[in-house]
Amino acid sequence: MTDHEQQTASGAADFDAFFAEHAEQHTGAALRLYGHEYTLPTSLPLLFTLQMERLKDSSDPDDIRRMLSSLFGPDALDTWAGHGMTDRQLGVVLVWSTANCRRPGSIDMAEAARLYDERENPPEGKAPNRAARRKGTGTRANSGKRS
């Protein structure tokens, strides 16, 4: 049976069978942090992606905990916070991890730090970082109406 012919007895398209046949068999990049070794998945879990969207406007530690648990396990935030991780360090780990999920080795730690710093501290004339937008110090887009 070919991919497009996979159906259940009721005639429904059988994505369970399709995804099982096309499952990624390789492991993702690994990282070591505070004595623990983590192996990333080979693609970003949906929960991680959805939580990243939600976190744009949230500072709730439970939101961050749920997002991190999909990549690093349920205790990651508490473990890292207990070791004194800073918000910059978390940002660098997330930049590195998201880049290296699908393409291990695509960026190194120094490049992740540079990308994070550029995103958080853009050059003059560029959009302010998310923290500044949350505080209301950024400029607001107009409605597009002419006055």
Side-chain angles (χ1 to χ4, degrees):
M1 185 178 290
T2 63
D3 293 338
H4 64 279
E5 296 174 324
Q6 293 176 342
Q7 296 181 340
T8 63
S10 68
D14 190 349
F15 277 95
D16 291 334
F18 177 79
F19 290 147
E21 283 184 17
H22 295 87
E24 298 173 11
Q25 300 300 319
H26 55 332
T27 58
L31 65 114
R32 185 170 186 77
L33 184 59
Y34 302 118
H36 297 344
E37 190 161 310
Y38 302 92
T39 302
L40 297 173
T42 55
S43 61
L44 291 174
L46 180 59
L47 179 61
F48 181 87
T49 304
L50 294 173
Q51 286 297 109
M52 281 294 284
E53 285 299 312
R54 183 175 180 197
L55 283 175
K56 287 180 181 176
D57 298 316
S58 175
S59 58
D60 184 349
D62 287 334
D63 289 340
I64 298 167
R65 188 174 287 108
R66 279 189 293 275
M67 180 195 67
L68 291 177
S69 71
S70 65
L71 281 183
F72 303 105
D75 300 324
L77 180 62
D78 296 322
T79 299
W80 298 352
H83 282 89
M85 178 179 258
T86 66
D87 61 336
R88 180 180 182 272
Q89 290 170 333
L90 175 61
V92 172
V93 168
L94 290 177
V95 168
W96 185 92
S97 298
T98 56
N100 283 292
C101 268
R102 288 200 176 141
R103 294 181 34 226
S106 61
I107 66 170
D108 62 19
M109 292 178 282
E111 177 72 0
R114 185 187 67 72
L115 290 170
Y116 175 80
D117 290 341
E118 280 181 4
R119 189 177 304 155
E120 291 301 305
N121 302 302
E124 284 292 317
K126 298 283 184 172
N129 66 33
R130 284 188 300 204
R133 286 193 304 266
R134 278 195 295 263
K135 293 177 185 170
T137 59
T139 59
R140 298 181 79 187
N142 66 30
S143 66
K145 290 183 179 180
R146 292 186 181 198
S147 31

